[in-house]
Amino acid sequence: MNMTKQQEDILSSINNYKSIKINAFAGTGKTSTLRLIANEHKEKKILYLAFNSAIKNEAQGLFPNNTSISTTHGLAYSAIKNNTNINLSELVNYRAIDISKRFKITYTKAITTLKIFEAFCNSSKLEISKDDLEHKTAQFMFDSMCDGSMKPTHSFYLKYYFLLLTQNKIQQFKYDVVMLDEAQDTNDVTLGIFEALDVDTKIYVGDQHQQIYSFRGSKNALNKIQCDKELYLSCSFRFNSDIASYANILLSNFKNETVAIDTLDSQDNDIQTHGFISRTNATLIATIAKRIDDRKPFVTIREPNEIFNLTSEVYYALNNQRDDIKRNRFLKDFSDEEEMAEYAKEVDDYELKTAIKVVKEHKEKIFEFKDIAQKFYNAWKNKKNNGFENRIKEILFLTTAHTAKGLEWDEVIIADDFTDFADIIADLECDNLKQYQEQKEFLTNQELIDEFNLFYVSITRAKKKLIKDSENFHYLMATDIEKLLDQRIKDTQQDVKSMARNKKVKISKLEKEDKQAVRQVKNAEAGKAKNSGLKWTLDDRIKVKSMFKKNMSIGQIARKLERTAGAILGELFKSEVINKDNQIKLSQMLKEDPSNANKQSIL
């Protein structure tokens, strides 16, 4: 392959520097560049540390024989299993209710204990130093896993390996070069392991804007580490300039990025593959239900049991089938739906909240959905033998944003369940876009900032076309993004004051129905259109396209849907029913001759 100048610079740096940082934007040939390094230096023994098993499996066979491929967890697992007496045959994922029962403490203290334990395991600290009940309990958890009286977790054995490695109590793996992939999602303990490895050259590679695992304690190593050399991969081979423009608008406005993504545009607009990316499993299940109803094929990226497991077991719990609960055993302890919902609210378990909602909506049909999803999933795994691959144009590949990293399709639908950008900024306690931009580097809630990253990851999975169902595209397509955002932030803050009074409420966590009800009342009081500023429903998106195609004027459509004329034009533009020139022309006609501001006037 022909190398870019950036790739040539990276290859030439290997023998000259001990530590190298590579900032690689989406689709810029990161894996290809690492493979070039391995092929160029076949005399060296290289370790490629992949972020997860999916990336590791994809890398198998791509690299030459001088390169070993592992995840950091895999490296730690092998070392602990082969060099200690820790039993890793049964790993556990503890929930607050498990800790509450075991140590006879309240839910609140159990939640805190788990957070302290996970924070310690994800950190480079050598011990839990504080002396209160929760910290003592967390330390006792760790000690109990060490002596075998409590079953270990994945985070435990990774931390234990770090402690042994940094204290020279365990044998080191010997390599000349170690490459840490997805460094932006590396937590302190993984970074500590990487830095403790005794090698000549260390290469950190990743995209700081694809950091999406802060809720697991990940830290952006690309920002934290001091390297001898910093290099960029900024020319995307994946997508066209239209998609790059959305990514650049997002990164420059919400991530303060100063380097723009370039593209190598091609004229190939043939759409062969289709992806659907949502924020939540609940939206995936709703989409599965619709695909089944429409008799259209689909394939989930994750194994369907992973998508449906919690939802299925919530159904068992709510229908007195507790013997069928195998994985989420904590569900057995709830006497009814009200108690379960109260627990989900108290511990802010969004996954459980959405699972309850899905069960209430679809009831026992979720098992039918899962069975059909499993059949399609199995058919795709065996596609070469059953001919399913010949239906590639019909298939919709379904995934959440967290699972979408590393994947790509010609056309991608971005679902409408992503957190609203205005809500994120308001939750970060910023009053407008400019204030957020100025304070961003000092904001401590990385989990909220990750929501921008999730959207960036999602839109950059598309190679040729985006279907823009998410409301956030209104911002990315706005003529004046700052004006639109600032107004939405102001409206959102007022809505929360109306709902919460003196109570502190996270805007992004409020139910959509609650926000809509408050906004509609306020709009009526202010003499505005009832649905002004509200999120578009799927039904309304279908209606606006239909009415416009029937040559109804923009004013008539606005009155029918109880929205502003500007909102109608914005939705038609976002949905690609009209282009930017059409939008400007219709906007001008609304001022001069509103009755003729319709489809016919722009033909």
Side-chain angles (χ1 to χ4, degrees):
M1 69 179 266
N2 294 324
M3 286 188 285
T4 65
K5 177 65 167 59
Q6 289 179 330
Q7 288 174 321
E8 289 175 356
D9 290 343
I10 289 168
L11 256 65
S12 65
S13 69
I14 303 302
N15 288 327
N16 300 322
Y17 302 97
K18 285 187 67 68
S19 59
I20 301 163
K21 181 194 300 186
I22 302 173
N23 298 289
F25 291 111
T28 54
K30 176 189 64 177
T31 304
S32 300
T33 304
L34 296 180
R35 192 165 67 241
L36 283 170
I37 292 171
N39 281 309
E40 184 78 11
H41 297 278
K42 288 186 177 177
E43 78 288 355
K44 296 182 184 293
K45 190 175 181 183
I46 297 174
L47 173 63
Y48 168 50
L49 285 176
F51 178 72
N52 56 33
S53 296
I55 296 172
K56 182 197 76 172
N57 294 338
E58 187 180 340
Q60 300 280 10
L62 294 177
F63 285 80
N65 294 332
N66 66 327
T67 306
S68 298
I69 299 168
S70 176
T71 62
T72 312
H73 274 85
L75 199 69
Y77 186 94
S78 297
I80 297 300
K81 184 178 180 182
N82 296 329
N83 295 282
T84 75
N85 294 321
I86 301 291
N87 182 3
L88 299 180
S89 62
E90 191 174 350
L91 296 163
V92 178
N93 179 30
Y94 295 103
R95 287 181 179 264
I97 197 167
D98 303 315
I99 303 305
S100 175
K101 287 174 64 179
R102 186 181 184 101
F103 297 107
K104 295 181 173 52
I105 56 179
T106 65
Y107 281 158
T108 303
K109 290 187 182 298
I111 295 163
T112 305
T113 297
L114 271 178
K115 286 180 178 178
I116 292 167
F117 175 80
E118 287 300 320
F120 172 64
C121 288
N122 290 327
S123 76
S124 57
K125 294 178 181 178
L126 301 181
E127 61 181 10
I128 299 174
S129 56
K130 290 187 179 179
D131 216 21
D132 55 63
L133 175 66
E134 293 91 331
H135 283 82
K136 281 183 176 179
T137 307
Q139 182 66 61
F140 188 68
M141 281 178 65
F142 192 87
D143 294 341
S144 298
M145 291 180 199
C146 287
D147 65 26
S149 60
M150 191 171 181
K151 290 175 182 176
T153 65
H154 284 281
S155 58
F156 162 78
Y157 72 72
L158 189 70
K159 177 69 173 191
Y160 193 52
Y161 176 55
F162 163 77
L163 293 174
L164 295 177
L165 190 65
T166 52
Q167 296 169 26
N168 295 315
K169 292 181 179 179
I170 197 165
Q171 187 176 354
Q172 279 243 17
F173 298 92
K174 296 294 183 183
Y175 295 98
D176 301 307
V177 178
V178 182
M179 304 185 293
L180 180 63
D181 199 359
E182 303 288 351
Q184 76 281 346
D185 278 318
T186 298
N187 56 29
D188 282 346
V189 71
T190 302
L191 185 58
I193 290 169
F194 186 75
E195 292 180 334
L197 295 174
D198 184 18
V199 296
D200 295 331
T201 306
K202 293 175 183 175
I203 303 171
Y204 305 77
V205 59
D207 181 353
Q208 64 173 316
H209 306 304
Q210 292 192 58
Q211 180 183 352
I212 57 175
Y213 289 103
S214 294
F215 67 94
R216 292 182 186 170
S218 70
K219 307 289 183 184
N220 186 358
L222 289 174
N223 280 347
K224 292 184 68 173
I225 58 172
Q226 296 296 317
C227 279
D228 300 331
K229 186 67 175 177
E230 182 172 2
L231 297 159
Y232 275 86
L233 287 172
S234 60
C235 181
S236 181
F237 302 99
R238 176 183 298 153
F239 43 77
N240 59 32
S241 57
D242 285 344
I243 294 163
S245 71
Y246 294 123
N248 285 328
I249 291 168
L250 190 156
L251 296 183
S252 63
N253 282 282
F254 302 108
K255 298 303 302 297
N256 292 350
E257 180 57 72
T258 57
V259 176
I261 302 173
D262 298 319
T263 62
L264 298 174
D265 263 344
S266 72
Q267 300 303 310
D268 178 16
N269 294 314
D270 182 35
I271 304 295
Q272 294 285 328
T273 56
H274 306 263
F276 176 94
I277 302 177
S278 70
R279 179 65 180 83
T280 63
N281 280 329
T283 300
L284 284 192
I285 294 172
T287 306
I288 286 169
K290 188 172 190 319
R291 295 294 287 188
I292 292 170
D293 192 47
D294 293 343
R295 296 182 177 276
K296 292 180 179 180
F298 63 91
V299 172
T300 58
I301 298 303
R302 273 191 304 161
E303 212 275 341
N305 277 330
E306 291 297 313
I307 297 170
F308 283 89
N309 180 267
L310 180 62
T311 304
S312 300
E313 296 196 341
V314 165
Y315 177 89
Y316 294 144
L318 298 183
N319 288 274
N320 293 316
Q321 296 174 235
R322 284 173 166 72
D323 289 344
D324 292 321
I325 299 172
K326 307 296 182 185
R327 186 165 161 184
N328 302 283
R329 295 181 180 276
F330 76 101
L331 294 173
K332 292 184 177 185
D333 295 308
F334 299 117
S335 58
D336 53 30
E337 179 190 325
E338 184 179 354
E339 188 179 346
M340 188 188 297
E342 186 61 33
Y343 168 80
K345 182 178 180 182
E346 184 178 342
V347 303
D348 199 18
D349 191 332
Y350 185 68
E351 188 181 0
L352 181 57
K353 287 180 190 174
T354 55
I356 296 169
K357 188 175 181 180
V358 169
V359 169
K360 288 176 68 176
E361 182 175 353
H362 297 290
K363 300 182 174 60
E364 68 275 359
K365 290 194 77 174
I366 60 173
F367 298 101
E368 176 189 336
F369 301 159
K370 183 174 76 170
D371 289 344
I372 295 173
Q374 190 67 54
K375 287 175 183 176
F376 276 128
Y377 183 84
N378 293 339
W380 184 251
K381 284 178 69 176
N382 196 34
K383 58 185 178 293
K384 293 190 183 298
N385 297 324
N386 59 25
F388 196 34
E389 63 182 348
N390 297 326
R391 299 180 66 185
I392 188 73
K393 284 190 173 182
E394 304 172 58
I395 297 169
L396 185 63
F397 292 90
L398 307 176
T399 181
T400 60
H402 280 99
T403 311
K405 277 176 71 170
L407 303 175
E408 62 183 33
W409 297 275
D410 293 335
E411 178 184 270
V412 170
I413 301 168
I414 307 295
D416 65 350
D417 63 342
F418 285 82
T419 308
D420 189 288
F421 290 171
D423 288 357
I424 298 170
I425 293 174
D427 271 347
L428 288 165
E429 299 184 358
C430 296
D431 296 330
N432 50 59
L433 178 60
K434 187 175 181 181
Q435 185 184 11
Y436 162 75
Q437 291 169 340
E438 291 173 346
Q439 296 183 5
K440 181 189 166 297
E441 303 310 317
F442 308 102
L443 298 173
T444 57
N445 194 335
Q446 183 60 45
E447 287 185 39
L448 273 173
I449 297 174
D450 278 4
E451 295 296 328
F452 293 121
N453 295 348
L454 276 170
F455 207 76
Y456 163 70
V457 167
S458 300
I459 64 179
T460 55
R461 299 311 95 193
K463 296 164 68 177
K464 300 172 184 178
K465 186 178 180 182
L466 281 167
I467 304 297
K468 301 178 278 291
D469 282 355
S470 171
E471 289 283 286
N472 286 329
F473 280 104
H474 282 296
Y475 303 121
L476 301 184
M477 300 173 75
T479 304
D480 190 337
I481 185 171
E482 185 174 3
K483 181 179 179 182
L484 177 59
L485 256 168
D486 289 355
Q487 184 58 53
R488 290 278 183 91
I489 293 166
K490 183 179 178 182
D491 290 343
T492 298
Q493 290 172 331
Q494 290 175 348
D495 290 348
V496 169
K497 284 180 182 177
S498 300
M499 293 178 67
R501 299 300 175 190
N502 297 323
K503 186 179 176 183
K504 185 78 170 176
V505 176
K506 261 196 174 182
I507 296 162
S508 57
K509 297 289 185 185
L510 291 175
E511 293 293 332
K512 178 177 69 175
E513 294 80 6
D514 293 338
K515 287 193 278 190
Q516 286 180 327
V518 169
R519 180 65 59 83
Q520 286 174 338
V521 170
K522 285 186 63 184
N523 284 340
E525 290 173 351
K528 296 180 180 178
K530 178 182 176 182
N531 296 318
S532 179
L534 286 180
K535 187 173 182 177
W536 284 78
T537 64
L538 176 61
D539 189 42
D540 277 358
R541 289 205 303 267
I542 293 170
K543 284 179 180 177
V544 74
K545 293 176 191 176
S546 174
M547 287 188 279
F548 185 73
K549 288 174 181 176
K550 290 176 181 176
N551 210 39
M552 287 179 64
S553 73
I554 299 300
Q556 288 176 305
I557 299 170
R559 287 189 290 276
K560 287 267 186 185
L561 297 181
E562 297 185 90
R563 292 184 180 270
T564 65
I568 301 300
L569 288 176
E571 181 59 30
L572 290 171
F573 175 49
K574 180 176 76 70
S575 303
E576 297 183 356
V577 176
I578 61 176
N579 59 32
K580 194 66 180 177
D581 289 340
N582 297 152
Q583 185 185 23
I584 293 169
K585 184 175 180 181
L586 287 166
S587 180
Q588 188 61 35
M589 290 193 71
L590 281 168
K591 298 174 184 176
E592 299 172 354
D593 188 8
S595 62
N596 286 321
N598 53 29
K599 180 183 177 182
Q600 190 65 38
S601 65
I602 57 173
L603 294 178

